Amino acid sequence: MNLIVVVDQNWAIGCNGDQLIYIPEDLKRFQALTKGHAIILGRKTLATFPNGKPLKWRRNLVLSTQKGYAVEGAEVYASIEDVLKVATEDTFVIGGESVYRQLLPYCKRAYVTMVHKAFAETDSYMPNLDEDSAWKLVQEEEPVAFEDTFYSYRLYEMLS
């Protein structure tokens, strides 16, 4: 599986249930990479999407322990074990924090958009792959400007 995430320089991913930053070019990249693939996300992440609806052109696999939870256009799974039974090699894990932490060991690649600043208000984090000996940075693109900061695309691969 793959993982895709936007992090700040401290590997923070969100605050109060939302992403820290929305970069139009990164959203286009996200769509290009994930379109036509299954995505795994938590119920709270789905709630941040426009109208709380699943993403088009993808198989939405939603993790929720909430009894009776259902959403039109998505498949809901109560456990990591259940979602792993249907996930394929080209599935993308897209968040939030607990989903990233639980599925990281099953991922082979991580597509990371690194925002080169620390946001003041954060409350959720992605594990720092630079500090994880199981992961190796294999590619980093030159930083690109966006508003008052820069960001760069990084590709990490899990070592065998």
Side-chain angles (χ1 to χ4, degrees), residues 44-110:
K44 292 178 186 174
T45 298
L46 177 61
T48 68
F49 292 175
N51 300 316
K53 302 267 186 203
L55 295 179
K56 294 179 183 176
W57 309 298
R58 297 161 192 85
R59 182 179 178 196
N60 289 249
L61 310 175
V62 179
L63 281 163
S64 176
T65 56
Q66 199 174 76
K67 294 283 185 205
Y69 177 77
V71 62
E72 187 177 335
E75 301 167 37
V76 179
Y77 297 90
S79 71
I80 294 295
E81 296 75 27
D82 289 342
V83 81
L84 285 172
K85 290 176 187 173
V86 299
T88 59
E89 189 175 300
D90 63 346
T91 297
F92 280 85
V93 177
I94 68 166
E97 179 179 6
S98 67
V99 174
Y100 284 134
R101 290 187 186 283
Q102 292 177 76
L103 289 173
L104 184 62
Y106 301 97
C107 293
K108 301 283 188 235
R109 288 184 152 191

